[in-house]
Amino acid sequence: MKLVRYGNPGKEKPGLIDANGVLRDLSAVIKDIGPDQLSDAGLAKLAKLKTDKLPAVKGKPRMGCPVNGVRKFIAIGLNYADHAAESNLPIPKEPIVFMKATSCIQGPNDPVMLPKGSKKSDWEVELGVVIGKQARYVSQKDALSHVAGYCTIDDVSEREFQIERGGTWDKGKGCDTFGPIGPWLVTRDEVPNPQKLDMWLDVNGKRMQTGNTKTMIFSVAKIISYVSQFMTLEPGDVITTGTPPGVGMGMKPDAIYLKKGDVVTLGIEGLGEQRQEVVAFKL
Ligand code: ZN
């Protein structure tokens, strides 16, 4: 299933995209798509619905983040060997874990706002993993059974805040609008192997990132198992799993960063596409 949340910010309704690509409303079936709806039992109930009986939604409403009530937004750094190289950083021996503020989460096509004083805002297409069942000290073998589904994420990053301002990366990762998620939450039954998905990102129509999740250093199963040794993963938690090469910071001869008016488009095979216009800072 492709689950969505559509409508104005803060007022999104639950829905799904049917086999013909039609958006159908789920409001009469569930209150929302969030931690309480993501268990295997909850998703199985939705999978049994006769989708052609659900009301079709007219027009092209805004898409929100397909999961409401995200409590943790966890990110993995330098998870593709060639991206570590372009960042002039060694290949990590263990996954690099950092947090994106949940306040940065937004819909897949909402504008990305340059933070106040930003000179080095950058893009990162990433495979997102949404947890469906609590995970504590899970084995790698059992890890994927804790996944509700997968989604496309742009891990927008301010490199000066991230790297040149001291301490952890978090300062450059959680600015408002830096977490576009969606358009769909694709349930895990439709993604039998998360380690062979093509991914791409364009800026103003020019291809910047081309990758495939098969070149991850640490697999999705490894990441879930690893993170669950340090914190409990709860239903609705989102993990963004790192980016392939082609970020602005790594461009030769000179880095390229986002400026007002740029348009970023990105997608992952089977998980849908995003489009963000870059806008100036405003309080
Ligand atoms: Zn990232």
Side-chain angles (χ1 to χ4, degrees), residues 5-82:
R5 295 174 63 256
Y6 70 94
N8 291 332
K11 300 245 182 345
E12 290 93 344
K13 292 179 172 178
L16 59 74
I17 308 293
D18 75 11
N20 299 315
V22 177
L23 169 58
R24 305 254 177 196
D25 180 61
L26 279 174
S27 303
V29 184
I30 45 174
K31 267 216 307 260
D32 203 345
I33 297 165
D36 294 339
Q37 287 80 31
L38 297 176
S39 67
D40 284 353
L43 295 176
K45 219 168 80 184
L46 295 181
K48 286 206 193 92
L49 293 171
K50 297 218 178 344
T51 52
D52 53 347
K53 300 276 190 289
L54 297 166
V57 178
K58 291 199 186 75
K60 282 212 168 352
R62 167 189 172 270
M63 289 293 153
C65 171
V67 192
N68 194 23
V70 176
R71 286 173 286 195
K72 289 198 287 303
F73 190 4
I74 300 160
I76 306 300
L78 302 178
N79 198 26
Y80 289 76
D82 25 13

Side-chain angles (χ1 to χ4, degrees), residues 75-78 83 98 124 126 155 157 159 173 240-243:
I76 306 300
L78 302 178
H83 172 58
F98 62 93
E124 297 189 344
E126 303 198 0
D155 175 19
S157 306
R159 303 302 184 190
K173 293 286 192 170
T240 189
T241 57
T243 201

